[in-house]
Amino acid sequence: MHRPSEHTNTRVVAWAIFFYSLILFPFMNPENLTKKRHTLAHLLAYAVLQDFPHAKPTIGPAIETGFYYDIDFTGGPIPSDEELKNIQKTMRKTLSSWKAFSHREVSPTEAKEFFKENPFKLELINELEKENTVITLYTAGEGKSEFTDLCRGGHSENPSEEISADSFKLTSLAGAYWRGDEKNPMLTRIYGLAFDSAEELGAYETQLEEAKKRDHRKLGKELDLFTFSELVGSGLPLWTPKGTIIRSELDAFIWQLRSKHGYERVTIPHITKKDLYQTSGHWEKFADELFRITTREGKEYALKPMNCPHHTQIFDRTPHSYRNMPQRYAETTMVYRDEQSGELGGLTRVLSITQDDSHVFCRHNQVKDEFFRVWDIIDTFYGTFGFKLRVRLSFHDPKEMEKYLGTKEIWENAENSLREIAKERNADYFEAQGEAAMYGPKLDFMAKDSIGREHQVATIQLDMNLPERFDLSCINEKGEKERIVMMHCAIMGSIERFTAVLIEHVGGNFPLWLSPVQVAVIPVADVHHDYAKQVFDGLRAVGIRASYDDSNESMGKKIRSAKKERLPYFIVIGDKEVEAKNVTLEARNGETSVMTLSALGNHLLTLISAKL
Ligand SMILES: [Zn+2]
Ligand SMILES: [Zn+2]
């Protein structure tokens, strides 16, 4: 499941921090499932020690889908996959005798004595001692099943009753550096899945399997949508002709939706002088992620990591009367971020990101209407693909007003508008205090895909910061200069990430309007070529993306290859069709319909324009 990679290290660090926060703030995550998972991590350490007495447990937190424990096996063998099954058996057997946890506070000296054989626990104890944190040991089980660990609590009250033995399983082993630092020893991480019931565990495993089959890296290659080149570099996807059709169609759809709402296209260069980002604050904020360029004259430039600063300069080219507000600029363009290299061959972490970006420059009293417009676009766009949306209203934390730009009144007005919109739209939404950006509240959209996974997709952000920094204003009804606000919104977010989500959502079966090849025309034998070619030319003439398979392969093989490419439709031309001068349109799902050649084009065009 998890392979050690550069990426894993960051994850290890993140989890180490998370675990540490659990030690320090035991009640941070009071959810029962988290308690079960944390309890199972203890049980795992106990079970490992039964068969591997030389093992030294280090840290073992609950994670999103279960738990893990990082264990040092120096001085003896590491468990094999077979032995992992035995460890799981021991866990299940022991569970029934774990009826409660007891705990006691101990002095640092006592704790060190208890863990004197385990340098990792000693390191943790030393740190707790330095921070003057109370040290506690938690014990579960009795007699042979007794196990004590350094911990700050957060367990199931009665594991034997609360945890069902078939609701968890051990899944894999992986290497992980002690506390995520590659200078530290490499430990063995044992992962487990744990849910509330065996059914939920089963459902999650089915979802994992389904996700594997749909993996966009695998399907992207099979369907010939994108590729990578070692010469170009990892994280820099190259889009093939077929992949480019999908990108263009998605973008055209977004434009179709935007144009109804008064958006105008703009175009900016991909580089800028340092000055722009010094004014915007990004030179400092994006310091590590910025690709910098020094010219032969020694001037400093950067590749754009976002488009907003450039777009402010288009707005600011001329004074704006309130009558010309809002100004809505949109541009689909690449931005570049020097991120840590991620999973090879994937679209989810890339250095070149195509944003379908837009910026609305408007007055405070226009915010509600503008959010409404974008929300409309988002609803239509995601609804077309059958994604279910959930919305988080990311608001400021009134207790920490000093963290935010703008007055309390401006924030409350803006947030009330967002709340009203959410209510008016009957949206599935929830509010989250403290999740706003420093420069304004946000709407964050989460899309549920066909196998039940939730992906964060579009966000609409209100920004009171950049207008301040770039001194953006309009002239109001009284002839005075009035500070405006900006809205940032990309519908797809990034085309790369959205395409990855979409490929997996539809399992490679793109809807007709989006398919790189929409119909394959397949003549049975040479004598059918003339008519088949006529069908093919007819489709191409009306703008349908058709392919023509006149290879010498067998009929069966041609049809199989059309199916493997997941083409929405194919048309086989044989004696019957030539004679009747009609066609049989066969859909991916096996449905067929017979129609005349002239009806065919119209039929398909209707389906395409309705995006069915
Ligand atoms: Zn614990
Ligand atoms: Zn922006």
Side-chain angles (χ1 to χ4, degrees):
M1 186 169 73
H2 292 258
R3 268 156 285 123
S5 69
E6 288 165 81
H7 202 172
T8 310
N9 285 341
T10 18
R11 229 180 269 151
V12 174
V13 178
W15 284 119
I17 293 168
F18 173 59
F19 176 70
Y20 229 38
S21 67
L22 269 189
I23 294 185
L24 300 173
F25 309 104
F27 304 111
M28 210 177 73
N29 204 337
E31 303 242 336
N32 276 343
L33 186 53
T34 305
K35 287 183 179 174
K36 286 183 192 176
R37 289 167 172 164
H38 176 85
T39 301
L40 287 166
H42 281 253
L43 192 58
L44 167 59
Y46 165 81
V48 167
L49 284 167
Q50 303 316 300
D51 294 341
F52 301 84
H54 63 281
K56 292 187 178 59
T58 67
I59 57 171
I63 54 174
E64 209 184 327
T65 55
F67 57 93
Y68 70 74
Y69 216 120
D70 282 349
I71 296 170
D72 178 38
F73 286 98
T74 311
I78 292 174
S80 63
D81 285 343
E82 205 44 50
E83 285 160 331
L84 211 55
K85 287 197 189 112
N86 287 332
I87 294 172
Q88 182 177 296
K89 241 185 239 162
T90 310
M91 287 175 73
R92 290 187 171 160
K93 212 171 69 201
T94 311
L95 180 61
S96 60
S97 66
W98 278 25
K99 305 214 181 286
F101 273 86
S102 63
H103 73 282
R104 60 192 161 103
E105 280 181 23
V106 291
S107 69
T109 321
E110 274 174 278
K112 282 181 213 167
E113 174 59 26
F114 192 91
F115 289 105
K116 61 175 186 270
E117 310 284 340
N118 187 330
F120 305 96
K121 297 282 187 193
L122 288 177
E123 189 178 318
L124 295 175
I125 294 164
N126 279 327
E127 280 169 27
L128 294 172
E129 185 181 10
K130 236 185 262 164
E131 293 158 6
N132 258 326
T133 308
V134 176
I135 299 169
T136 43
L137 301 183
Y138 274 76
T139 303
E142 278 174 355
K144 203 190 160 290
S145 77
E146 187 182 299
F147 178 65
T148 299
D149 207 349
L150 174 71
C151 185
R152 287 290 281 162
H155 310 106
S156 304
E157 269 181 37
N158 184 341
S160 68
E161 292 226 323
E162 288 170 44
I163 304 176
S164 119
D166 52 7
S167 67
F168 69 90
K169 73 191 285 189
L170 298 182
T171 52
S172 57
L173 294 166
Y177 293 108
W178 166 234
R179 311 185 88 171
D181 187 339
E182 59 193 300
K183 288 184 221 92
N184 286 339
M186 175 70 92
L187 307 170
T188 301
R189 174 170 299 181
I190 303 180
Y191 279 105
L193 292 174
F195 290 86
D196 273 323
S197 65
E199 291 71 43
E200 281 170 48
L201 172 65
Y204 179 73
E205 286 189 285
T206 311
Q207 189 190 68
L208 270 189
E209 243 163 69
E210 195 47 45
K212 214 188 216 168
K213 275 189 245 157
R214 292 160 176 253
D215 189 326
H216 77 275
R217 292 168 294 186
K218 176 175 156 275
L219 285 177
K221 199 168 181 186
E222 277 173 28
L223 302 176
D224 191 26
L225 302 178
F226 54 87
T227 185
F228 290 87
S229 150
E230 271 186 40
L231 291 179
V232 178
S234 65
L236 295 165
L238 305 167
W239 293 82
T240 61
K242 283 183 180 161
T244 302
I245 289 173
I246 290 179
R247 286 170 61 98
S248 316
E249 287 289 348
L250 287 171
D251 192 40
F253 183 29
I254 295 277
W255 272 106
Q256 186 193 326
L257 299 173
R258 280 199 200 287
S259 60
K260 292 183 197 152
H261 291 285
Y263 280 83
E264 297 175 290
R265 284 182 205 259
V266 292
T267 308
I268 57 173
H270 290 211
I271 61 173
T272 172
K273 266 165 63 187
K274 178 184 181 179
D275 309 45
L276 182 71
Y277 293 149
Q278 276 178 328
T279 307
S280 69
H282 290 112
W283 191 258
E284 216 176 303
K285 200 180 141 215
F286 265 90
D288 293 337
E289 287 156 80
L290 217 51
F291 282 110
R292 290 149 203 264
I293 306 162
T294 307
T295 69
R296 56 184 154 179
E297 290 165 356
K299 286 186 193 143
E300 283 187 276
Y301 281 73
L303 268 172
K304 65 181 162 85
M306 81 285 302
N307 309 305
C308 359
H310 279 88
H311 285 180
T312 64
Q313 298 310 289
I314 300 178
F315 175 81
D316 209 25
R317 72 192 183 282
T318 178
H320 295 274
S321 149
Y322 70 94
R323 287 192 200 89
N324 303 328
M325 298 293 287
Q327 294 278 313
R328 306 182 190 91
Y329 302 153
E331 178 175 13
T332 300
T333 176
M334 272 196 198
V335 297
Y336 309 88
R337 294 179 188 175
D338 187 7
E339 302 216 32
Q340 277 181 294
S341 40
E343 329 142 41
L344 283 181
L347 292 180
T348 43
R349 267 175 90 93
V350 290
L351 307 181
S352 55
I353 306 151
T354 318
Q355 291 184 330
D356 59 318
D357 209 1
S358 69
H359 294 105
V360 176
F361 299 84
C362 65
R363 304 173 74 186
H364 280 281
N365 62 9
Q366 294 171 322
V367 164
K368 186 178 164 187
D369 189 48
E370 292 307 312
F371 265 82
F372 212 93
R373 287 168 188 274
V374 185
W375 198 330
D376 244 12
I377 298 174
I378 290 172
D379 264 352
T380 312
F381 183 78
Y382 286 93
T384 302
F385 298 101
F387 286 109
K388 267 199 139 160
L389 290 180
R390 208 157 66 95
V391 187
R392 183 176 72 189
L393 309 187
S394 301
F395 288 170
H396 78 294
D397 182 349
K399 279 180 248 127
E400 296 188 88
M401 209 53 225
E402 70 282 357
K403 271 180 27 186
Y404 306 98
L405 292 168
T407 65
K408 200 170 150 63
E409 202 196 348
I410 288 183
W411 275 88
E412 279 170 4
N413 283 341
E415 290 176 358
N416 281 337
S417 304
L418 298 194
R419 199 177 283 123
E420 276 167 35
I421 304 168
K423 274 195 199 131
E424 266 173 55
R425 299 195 72 100
N426 249 334
D428 178 5
Y429 75 95
F430 62 100
E431 294 183 14
Q433 273 194 359
E435 290 292 334
M438 148 291 257
Y439 49 77
K442 297 187 291 178
L443 288 185
D444 294 314
F445 292 81
M446 262 92 73
K448 195 174 235 182
D449 72 12
S450 58
I451 58 170
R453 294 172 303 175
E454 214 172 43
H455 307 269
Q456 162 127 24
V457 286
T459 71
I460 319 176
Q461 307 195 354
L462 191 65
D463 185 346
M464 312 189 249
N465 178 36
L466 286 186
E468 212 49 66
R469 283 182 172 264
F470 285 102
D471 189 20
L472 306 179
S473 58
C474 69
I475 306 298
N476 68 17
E477 294 88 338
K478 295 180 211 147
E480 296 160 346
K481 208 172 131 178
E482 178 184 298
R483 175 70 68 231
I484 57 146
V485 286
M486 250 178 104
M487 269 171 55
H488 310 257
C489 180
I491 309 295
M492 287 186 267
S494 94
I495 294 191
E496 286 74 16
R497 220 179 135 265
F498 178 75
T499 307
V501 170
L502 183 64
I503 291 173
E504 297 185 5
H505 174 61
V506 300
N509 295 306
F510 290 108
L512 175 68
W513 66 274
L514 202 51
S515 286
V517 176
Q518 295 166 316
V519 196
V521 179
I522 309 170
V524 176
D526 281 350
V527 293
H528 310 116
H529 269 308
D530 284 349
Y531 182 60
K533 199 78 200 332
Q534 199 186 326
V535 174
F536 171 70
D537 289 340
L539 290 170
R540 292 277 287 252
V542 294
I544 289 162
R545 295 187 292 269
S547 70
Y548 188 70
D549 190 348
D550 60 354
S551 63
N552 290 324
E553 299 293 353
S554 72
M555 210 45 229
K557 201 160 178 198
K558 286 181 185 180
I559 292 174
R560 272 197 305 280
S561 108
K563 285 189 171 161
K564 204 174 160 228
E565 274 190 67
R566 292 162 205 255
L567 303 189
Y569 292 104
F570 61 92
I571 294 169
V572 176
I573 304 288
D575 288 340
K576 223 171 64 193
E577 286 77 16
V578 172
E579 200 174 310
K581 291 276 171 229
N582 64 15
V583 292
T584 305
L585 186 65
E586 182 162 351
R588 193 155 46 196
N589 64 7
E591 274 173 26
T592 58
S593 39
V594 180
M595 57 189 84
T596 64
L597 192 47
S598 59
L600 174 68
N602 283 336
H603 174 68
L604 290 173
L605 287 177
T606 310
L607 293 177
I608 290 168
S609 71
K611 299 211 157 37
L612 291 169

